[in-house]
Amino acid sequence: MQHRIAWRATFLFAAVHVGAVVGVAILGVSRSGIALAAGLYALRMFALTAGVHRYFAHRTFKTTRAFQFVLAVVATASAQLGVLWWASQHRLHHRHTEQEADPHSRAKGFWWAHAGWFLVHTHDETEWQQIPDFADNPELRWLDRNYFVPVLALIGALFVFGGLPAVVWGFCVSTVFLWHAMFSLNSVGHSIGQRRYDTRDHSRNNLIVALATFGEGWHNNHHFYPGSARNGFYWWEIDLSYYVLRGLAVLGLVWDLRVVPEHVRERHAEDELESAAISRA
């Protein structure tokens, strides 16, 4: 398949990177800048991982219509298009992992999986047939069409309250790190790490990616059982998004957090015992 380059997306993608590098080179490093970048990274990373991924794409918990919109707005401010577009493409990814119909198949190359797939026009449209559960929601459809509004609002607020340094650190630097952390799930998460479960894809568990993405890096776990709100299946697998969700559940903002059943989670141990028995026979 021949892909047409999405020049506007490519320009904006490059511009944010240039803004981060040149801005820091001119303004210098400051504690306040690092703190602002880290805070907006954390806030938007949680909205992406817990909100767009675990809620909109996989429905692993329940929440109110108001709080779902808050998650959607904050996640959209990460400049990764609309949440319904994101969720619909991700559902395609799970249905056709590493096959031709997978939007960001690792089989098409590391760079394609990491960022190349959205810098072309091939996957511009929201796949409405993939998300019938949200397709009739008017505020989410509006946000999906006007995904640039939260981005511009964030940039505007940063400029008004902190000037150009706040834009450089709070948007450009924070967003570059946020992008590449999330993109690494499609590239690194399908090529580097350990495989606990024998899934039909090449998904991997990677501690570094898990720390950077608040728990999403336990990617082999996730592909084995995508219906869990907890990607770190064991206590030693750090999953910050799940911990925050547990806190929000105490406050009543979310509920019915679905997790992998223990007998399903331990299936890899049963397989290892079976393999050991066969090898001894």
Side-chain angles (χ1 to χ4, degrees):
M1 179 186 296
Q2 195 169 24
H3 304 285
R4 291 189 303 114
I5 296 175
W7 290 110
R8 183 175 64 177
T10 302
F11 172 79
L12 293 174
F13 183 69
V16 175
H17 284 76
V18 171
V21 174
V22 174
V24 171
I26 295 174
L27 297 171
V29 177
S30 67
R31 291 182 179 179
S32 59
I34 293 174
L36 180 60
L40 283 170
Y41 176 97
L43 179 65
R44 294 182 295 165
M45 179 61 78
F46 174 76
L48 282 168
T49 58
V52 185
H53 185 210
R54 304 187 199 190
Y55 178 72
F56 286 107
H58 292 293
R59 305 301 300 272
T60 63
F61 61 90
K62 296 178 182 177
T63 188
T64 64
R65 185 165 175 173
F67 193 64
Q68 97 177 356
F69 188 66
V70 170
L71 288 172
V73 170
V74 176
T76 305
S78 67
Q80 295 187 35
L81 300 184
V83 297
L84 299 186
W85 174 87
W86 201 108
S88 72
Q89 298 295 334
H90 188 73
R91 290 184 182 184
L92 275 176
H93 166 65
H94 273 272
R95 286 190 170 91
H96 307 284
T97 308
E98 296 172 6
Q99 300 173 27
E100 183 62 31
D102 180 356
H104 41 75
S105 173
R106 174 65 178 83
K108 297 178 183 178
F110 188 92
W111 171 250
W112 173 266
H114 189 75
W117 71 282
F118 64 82
L119 298 178
V120 297
H121 285 297
T122 310
H123 304 288
D124 285 347
E125 301 301 323
T126 301
E127 302 289 342
W128 294 107
Q129 71 277 12
Q130 299 295 329
I131 48 170
D133 42 341
F134 291 112
D136 293 331
N137 186 297
E139 63 267 29
L140 293 178
R141 289 185 74 105
W142 179 89
L143 190 61
D144 204 61
R145 291 192 306 271
N146 299 282
Y147 56 83
F148 52 87
V149 173
V151 177
L152 294 178
L154 174 60
I155 295 172
L158 287 168
F159 185 76
V160 168
F161 292 104
L164 187 59
V167 174
V168 169
W169 283 99
F171 183 76
C172 294
V173 174
S174 180
T175 300
V176 166
F177 278 96
L178 181 71
W179 278 347
H180 289 289
M182 288 300 294
F183 301 164
S184 69
L185 293 166
N186 303 329
S187 53
V188 178
H190 282 264
S191 57
I192 302 172
Q194 293 75 44
R195 284 175 54 78
R196 172 180 290 133
Y197 301 102
D198 186 19
T199 56
R200 62 183 177 87
D201 50 61
H202 295 89
S203 56
R204 299 287 196 273
N205 287 337
N206 187 299
L207 172 61
I208 295 175
V209 176
L211 293 175
T213 60
F214 293 7
E216 301 295 273
W218 307 116
H219 209 53
N220 180 243
N221 292 355
H222 173 63
H223 271 268
F224 175 68
Y225 196 86
S228 174
R230 181 178 185 176
N231 286 346
F233 286 179
Y234 294 89
W235 66 265
W236 61 85
E237 294 178 334
I238 299 171
D239 188 343
L240 292 178
S241 286
Y242 179 68
Y243 306 154
V244 175
L245 284 173
R246 287 289 300 271
L248 293 176
V250 172
L251 297 175
L253 289 173
V254 303
W255 59 90
D256 290 352
L257 294 173
R258 293 161 50 198
V259 296
V260 58
E262 185 174 357
H263 72 278
V264 176
R265 184 191 67 179
E266 296 297 332
R267 189 170 296 167
H268 69 98
E270 297 173 5
D271 292 341
E272 290 173 359
L273 289 173
E274 184 179 346
S275 298
I278 292 174
S279 65
R280 289 194 299 267

